[in-house]
Amino acid sequence: MSTFTESEERQELRRQVARLASGYGRDWFVERARSGEKTTELWLEIAKAGYLGINVPEEYGGGGGGIGDVAAVCEELAAQGCPLLMMVVSPAICGTVIARYGTEEQKQRWLPGICDGTATMAFAITEPDAGTNSHNITTTARRDGDEWVLRGQKIYISGVDEAAHVLVVARAEDARTGKLKPCLFVVPTDAAGFEFTAIPMEIVSPEKQFQVFIDDVRLPREALVGDEDGGLVQLFAGLNPERIMAASFSTGLARHALGKASAYAKERTVFKAPIGSHQAIAHPLAQAHIETELARLMTQKASALVDAGDDMAAGEAANMAKYAAAEAAVHAVDAAVQTHGGNGITQEYGMAGLLVAARAGRIAPVSREMILNFVAMHSLGLPKSY
């Protein structure tokens, strides 16, 4: 009989990650972000403990676990105030795609570095004129003898300055039909013709966002990941894990905010009683806690479906989890700021900085509106609206 609890191994993993991350904490994370420094120290310690590539097969330096394991790591880091955005990208998207579709040579070459943190890989799909609509991607790949030549632009690409390589989504011409099909390429960030500039963001994060310019970047034939004709199937193999990781990122932030707010509400006394005894304070926090726990449960379901290889059902659950988690995080952080009153908007208490981070979950990596479109169409069978 299932009791809807995680395995003892998963729970122990959570405890170990929480213990490790608590040695760093929110103040350390924010200080790094505000001073323009990176969180490499924490990244490498997670990697050394075997948590970074826990979802990658053991023969390539990973832990041999599932997406649920790496999502648990991501959530516990965020719950300790140290959300690492590149975990969503490097082990979860790139690691999954290469492990599933890469050649043996590509797996041997890229996966060990993703696992030990020394060869972090970024992911580039979004374009200035192709956000959610990946069919509109204009970055093209053309053959030139034994090489590929890539040309195009990308925007809001995370951590390019910390990555040795980027997994780029481009479109190549199908020799049989003449139509363009999506293909994935590993591109070195120091390649000739590959340039990137930081986008000023309001979010307090050590991980920056970039606009990327790909100007006739020449790549060897083996830079193509997977089957040239694999198309969207290969691309979407990385997107379900991405949504699950985004959900865990959000629920972790929500838990962090609720923990801080609950502690404050027990200590802060106004009108002769702790403010947490007042329902106007207690109820919004309780409601956000309920929403967070529901989102965590759906995230576990989505992870289990991915690990079971049921991609279609996983797509529905992963989208729902990501939607629910983002909503929970926005409500939790808002309630936490309000609980702190004026202190909620000071740097000292660190609540206000969470507002933009939580809000970003409603936008990226897929907007809440597109998730509602997906659910309306695929879950309810309603006519397509776009």
Side-chain angles (χ1 to χ4, degrees):
M1 186 180 98
S2 170
T3 54
F4 292 96
T5 53
E6 292 181 311
S7 67
E8 182 51 45
E9 291 86 354
R10 177 82 54 81
Q11 291 179 52
E12 180 57 26
L13 170 67
R14 287 183 180 278
R15 285 190 286 270
Q16 295 293 345
V17 174
R19 189 176 300 131
L20 189 157
S22 67
Y24 291 85
R26 184 69 186 171
D27 290 346
W28 175 86
F29 183 87
V30 171
E31 183 195 335
R32 284 287 186 283
R34 293 201 192 279
S35 63
E37 293 179 59
K38 300 297 182 189
T39 49
T40 311
E41 197 183 330
L42 175 57
W43 183 260
L44 292 176
E45 190 172 344
I46 295 163
K48 190 177 177 186
Y51 304 143
L52 187 58
I54 198 164
N55 60 309
V56 173
E58 289 181 45
E59 59 265 40
Y60 306 109
I67 206 69
D69 295 311
V70 76
V73 174
C74 181
E75 186 187 3
E76 296 308 320
L77 288 167
Q80 294 298 324
C82 301
L84 296 183
L85 182 59
M86 290 308 285
M87 278 208 74
V88 179
V89 180
S90 193
I93 302 176
C94 300
T96 299
V97 170
I98 292 170
R100 273 181 76 164
Y101 294 108
T103 61
E104 184 58 34
E105 186 187 9
Q106 286 170 336
K107 292 176 193 176
Q108 299 278 7
R109 183 174 179 190
W110 307 119
L111 294 178
I114 286 176
C115 295
D116 69 17
T118 60
T120 301
M121 194 177 285
F123 179 67
I125 181 170
T126 307
E127 295 187 0
D129 296 318
T132 306
N133 186 359
S134 50
H135 298 286
N136 263 6
I137 285 174
T138 57
T139 298
T140 53
R142 63 176 173 83
R143 286 184 180 279
D144 184 14
D146 243 11
E147 294 183 313
W148 288 96
V149 181
L150 262 62
R151 187 177 189 86
Q153 277 186 52
K154 299 289 180 182
I155 198 166
Y156 300 120
I157 308 306
S158 307
V160 181
D161 58 334
E162 300 176 67
H165 295 86
V166 184
L167 187 61
V168 174
V169 182
R171 298 176 81 195
E173 189 177 55
D174 191 315
R176 294 164 303 171
T177 64
K179 290 183 179 174
L180 293 174
K181 58 192 175 181
C183 290
L184 296 152
F185 297 88
V186 177
V187 181
T189 50
D190 61 358
F194 187 94
E195 293 181 10
F196 49 93
T197 56
I199 302 167
M201 305 289 284
E202 290 289 359
I203 197 165
V204 180
S205 172
E207 293 151 325
K208 294 185 166 33
Q209 300 293 312
F210 292 89
Q211 183 151 12
V212 174
F213 304 92
I214 303 167
D215 189 10
D216 288 341
V217 172
R218 302 189 79 85
L219 300 169
R221 189 181 55 199
E222 58 270 20
L224 173 75
V225 174
D227 184 352
E228 191 182 327
D229 299 315
L232 288 170
V233 174
Q234 294 175 171
L235 174 57
F236 287 140
L239 297 188
N240 285 341
E242 177 188 49
R243 282 149 178 61
I244 288 168
M245 295 295 282
S248 296
F249 194 93
S250 289
T251 54
L253 279 181
R255 286 170 52 201
H256 175 73
L258 289 172
K260 291 280 190 189
S262 298
Y264 187 83
K266 289 177 212 169
E267 294 163 10
R268 172 78 170 146
T269 299
V270 181
F271 302 116
K272 299 180 181 175
I275 59 173
S277 66
H278 303 305
Q279 290 175 344
I281 294 292
H283 283 186
L285 296 177
Q287 188 176 347
H289 177 66
I290 291 169
E291 290 178 16
T292 302
E293 287 304 303
L294 290 171
R296 294 181 76 205
L297 197 56
M298 184 53 99
T299 307
Q300 287 178 34
K301 176 180 177 177
S303 300
L305 288 166
V306 166
D307 292 336
D310 190 346
D311 285 344
M312 198 59 215
E316 180 184 53
N319 274 296
M320 289 179 173
K322 190 264 170 192
Y323 178 97
E327 297 302 303
V330 166
H331 297 156
V333 170
D334 189 63
V337 170
Q338 194 68 17
T339 297
H340 281 79
N343 287 333
I345 46 179
T346 63
Q347 284 194 359
E348 181 188 350
Y349 283 83
M351 287 290 104
L354 296 171
L355 284 168
V356 184
R359 189 63 184 72
R362 280 178 163 173
I363 299 165
V366 60
S367 70
R368 66 198 292 273
E369 290 74 20
M370 281 307 294
I371 291 177
L372 292 173
N373 282 338
F374 179 94
V375 170
M377 201 175 129
H378 295 281
S379 307
L380 303 179
L382 297 173
K384 191 172 180 178
S385 63
Y386 57 94

